Structure formats: structure tokens, C-alpha cells
Amino acid sequence: MARSGGTDDFWARWRRKMHRARIGLRKSGVDYFRGDGSDWIALAGLLLTIPAITMATVVSPIWIDPAALALPIVAGGLLLRPSSLLGLYATAAGALIVEALTLGPYLDGPARVTPGTVLVVAACGFFGLILAQFRARVGVPWRRGGTMLFDLRERIRVQSSLPRLPQGWHREMALRPAGGQSFSGDFVVAARTHGGRTLEAVLTDVSGKGMDAGSRALLLSGAFGGLLGSLPPHAFLPAANGYLLRQDWDEGFATSIHLVLDLESGDYEIYSAGHPPALQLHAGSGQWEEKSGEGPLLGVYDGAEFDAVKGSLAPGDVLMLFTDGLVEASDRDIAEGIDRLTGEADRYVSTGFEGAAWHLIEACAKDVNDDRALLLLSRRA
């Protein structure tokens, strides 16, 4: 009985040790792929591939070329830190020497270690080291870089989402970055304030386009989202202007249009900071009217004032806010672009503008190399 108990204790201790080892290995792997842990797992794996490749090259040099050592070197440039790369490179250099001594001089036949092979492996190592040093300087491992960009893009998309509106209202927004990129200098922040009775929406166009403006758009969308609803409507653009001035960016201006809409009465105010005018379709007359407040660009000078323009949306009316990329191009002025936009929008009057925002961008500015955004609100008849 004592022996049996001792055996059981031994296996119990062994299982606990194995469990702790699995947990430790799993944690190390998770930390590594999150970019928080050591790269010893990847280094060990790559170090094991080098003798495997070397052995395969010696056995069958026709099928496994000596230049195959460039594969773990390229992978190391993506996975390892610069200090770990040096150990990998030293191992690869030793493997090349072994292959050269085993296979013989390259003049004796094909599948030998030639000067070209050495140059290819060395070049891969050089570029891999440059990539590793760049990642170490930025502080974002390659495996987290794509995830971070995806997360930033999703944050901009979530911040640009429009709140639900009460029955009788329709809203939609479409955003098309320049050059088919994932990041845009145009963004929307919106919120329902005053107990949900009021819709406040701000459409902003940051200077620049695409990836160049995406980081500034992300910062501003977070700041503007915090200001929206925290200040009286007339104080929003002055506060946004002051925030932009404090950033002291080389290219730090932006245009913006701020809509304050009473969802019960349909009355609204529009404040503009150098932004293209809003367009209102009057259902009774079928005519489009430009609505724009007066105010300078954001981030140009302190103490700027922004005057509102007022209006009202009757049942059947439509209001469109958009950025200049939708109506302005090198071969046409903004007035011509607005005429084209309203002409295309007339086609959706009978359908209630369902899904119209995206199609209007496609019809009016499909191949324009600029960020384009369109916010559409309609009050159902």
C-alpha cells in the first residue's frame, strides 16, 4: 500500500509539473505574439531549421539549394529582435561554411555554394536587420502592427457611426478614403443630446488625405466626440478651433460643419468652419437650397467666431452634409460639383433615399483621388 501511495504521489507531482510547463509555454507564446514577451521561442525554432536545411542540402543539393538558408533569415527579420538576429546570422554563416566544405568547390559542378549564394543570403540578412531595427525603434512588432492598424480603423468607424433616430427619420453615412485606403481624413462624430431630443452631428475634413491624414483624424475624432454634447452648440467650433491650434501641427487646419437638429420639430442650426454648404431638398417645391453658416477654417487663428444658419426640415425634406472631395475636382469648381450631386440625388426622391449615400459617392466622385464623405438625413413624409 505504501508503494502504491508513493507511485501515485510521483505521478501527481509529474502531472503538476507538466501542467505548469504547458501554462508557462502557452503564456510565453501569447506574450510573444502580443509583442510583450521574449522572442526565444521563435529564435529556437529558427535555429533548429538551419541544421535541418543544411542536412537536406548535403543529402540532396539539387532539390534543396544552399540559398534555402535565406528562408529562416527572412523569417528572422520579421520575427526576431536585432540582438537575436545576430545569433541566427552567425548560425547561418556556420551552416554555409559546412555546406561549402561538404559539397566541394563550386567549380566542380552545380548545386554548390557559389559567391552568388553567399550574396543572396547576406542581402536577405541585411534587409532583415534593417526591418528589425526599425521595428525596435517604433516599438511595435510586425505581428502587432497589422492588428494595431485594424484596431485604429475600427475605432474611426465606430466613432463615425450614427445614433438611432426616432420613427419618422432616416439617416445614413458613406465614407470613401482616397486611393482605396483604409484610413481617411474625413470623419463624423454624432450624438443625441438633451435627453435624446436633439441630434448633433459634426462632419470634419482634416487637411491631407488617406494615410497622411488618418492619424490626425483619429485624434480629432476622439477629441471632438468628447466635446460634442459637453458644450452648448455655439461653443463647439470655438473649442474645436482652440484644440487644433494647441496641437501646433505643420499641416494642422481642418474644415468642419456642425448640425444641431431638433428631432421633434425638425428645426435645425448649422455652424460651419470653412466647409462646403449643406444641401436641403424642400419636398414641397422639389428644389435644393444651400445652407451654410459663416466661419473660418479650424486651426488658422485664435478667437474665430462662427455664425449659425437656421432652417427646418418638413416631412419629406432631405438634408445632405458632405466634404469637398465629393463636389470639387481639378477639372470643375464646387458649384458645378454641387449641381451634379443634386441632379443625381433627385433620382432617389421616389425611393426615400434608402441606400443613396454610397451610390451618390459612386456616381459623383468614384475615381477622385481625395477623401469623400456624405451624411444624409431625411424626414419621412
Side-chain angles (χ1 to χ4, degrees):
M1 295 297 293
R3 176 181 294 181
S4 177
T7 303
D8 292 342
D9 291 343
F10 170 78
W11 287 112
R13 289 194 300 271
W14 176 257
R15 285 193 296 270
R16 286 195 296 269
K17 290 180 180 179
M18 292 301 296
H19 177 72
R20 287 195 294 268
R22 286 197 302 270
I23 294 299
L25 184 62
R26 184 187 307 170
K27 185 179 183 301
S28 298
V30 170
D31 289 344
Y32 172 70
F33 283 102
R34 289 177 54 194
D36 302 328
S38 173
D39 60 353
W40 69 268
I41 297 178
L43 176 60
L46 292 173
L47 287 176
L48 290 175
T49 62
I50 290 179
I53 292 175
T54 303
M55 185 178 299
T57 300
V58 171
V59 173
S60 181
I62 299 298
W63 288 98
I64 309 297
D65 191 88
L69 286 172
L71 298 177
I73 287 179
V74 171
L78 296 173
L79 293 169
L80 302 179
R81 295 179 173 86
S83 57
S84 301
L85 272 179
L86 297 179
L88 182 69
Y89 291 171
T91 306
L96 270 179
I97 295 173
V98 170
E99 290 177 354
L101 295 176
T102 305
L103 297 176
Y106 63 88
L107 296 176
D108 290 352
R112 300 293 198 275
V113 179
T114 65
T117 302
V118 176
L119 288 177
V120 169
V121 175
C124 291
F126 174 74
F127 289 113
L129 186 60
I130 290 178
L131 289 175
Q133 289 177 337
F134 175 78
R135 290 197 318 273
R137 184 176 61 187
V138 175
V140 179
W142 77 275
R143 55 196 176 278
R144 288 289 291 169
T147 304
M148 179 176 290
L149 291 176
F150 175 79
D151 182 61
L152 293 177
R153 188 191 68 181
E154 289 302 298
R155 287 180 184 273
I156 294 177
R157 185 186 65 82
V158 170
Q159 289 177 353
S160 296
S161 61
L162 302 176
R164 289 183 176 273
L165 300 185
Q167 188 175 4
W169 291 93
H170 170 69
R171 87 285 186 266
E172 58 183 76
M173 192 267 294
L175 180 65
R176 177 70 68 84
Q181 300 180 30
S182 298
F183 295 89
S184 173
D186 298 347
F187 65 89
V188 174
V189 291
R192 291 180 63 176
T193 58
H194 300 96
R197 173 176 176 170
T198 303
L199 171 68
E200 292 193 50
V202 179
L203 176 59
T204 303
D205 182 1
V206 178
S207 58
K209 57 188 176 183
M211 291 288 291
D212 296 334
S215 58
R216 283 177 285 137
L218 177 64
L219 178 63
L220 290 181
S221 65
F224 287 10
L227 293 174
L228 195 66
S230 302
L231 298 172
H234 67 272
F236 175 82
L237 286 181
N241 181 61
Y243 178 82
L244 206 60
L245 285 171
R246 290 192 296 274
Q247 306 312 304
D248 197 25
W249 288 328
D250 292 335
E251 191 178 4
F253 64 89
T255 70
S256 191
I257 187 167
H258 180 199
L259 169 68
V260 184
L261 172 64
D262 189 317
L263 295 171
E264 294 184 3
S265 65
D267 297 336
Y268 66 82
E269 292 181 338
I270 290 178
Y271 299 85
S272 179
H275 202 84
L279 295 174
Q280 179 179 354
L281 172 64
H282 296 277
S285 63
Q287 300 297 315
W288 289 91
E289 179 185 3
E290 294 187 7
K291 292 281 189 176
S292 178
E294 295 185 0
L297 299 171
L298 296 178
V300 175
Y301 63 87
D302 197 8
E305 297 183 355
F306 305 91
D307 298 324
V309 61
K310 298 184 179 181
S312 182
L313 290 177
D317 285 4
V318 178
L319 187 68
M320 292 194 300
L321 311 180
F322 50 89
T323 56
D324 59 1
L326 186 60
V327 295
E328 194 173 22
S330 58
D331 58 345
R332 70 181 184 213
D333 59 18
I334 189 171
E336 185 180 348
I338 290 177
D339 289 341
R340 182 176 179 182
L341 175 61
T342 55
E344 291 291 338
D346 285 336
R347 302 185 182 191
Y348 295 91
V349 173
S350 60
T351 62
F353 286 86
E354 291 283 350
W358 185 259
H359 293 289
L360 287 175
I361 292 180
E362 286 285 302
C364 298
K366 181 178 181 180
D367 298 321
V368 174
N369 188 27
D370 196 2
D371 299 325
R372 293 140 290 167
L374 175 64
L375 172 62
L376 188 148
L377 292 164
S378 63
R379 190 175 186 183
R380 302 188 186 280

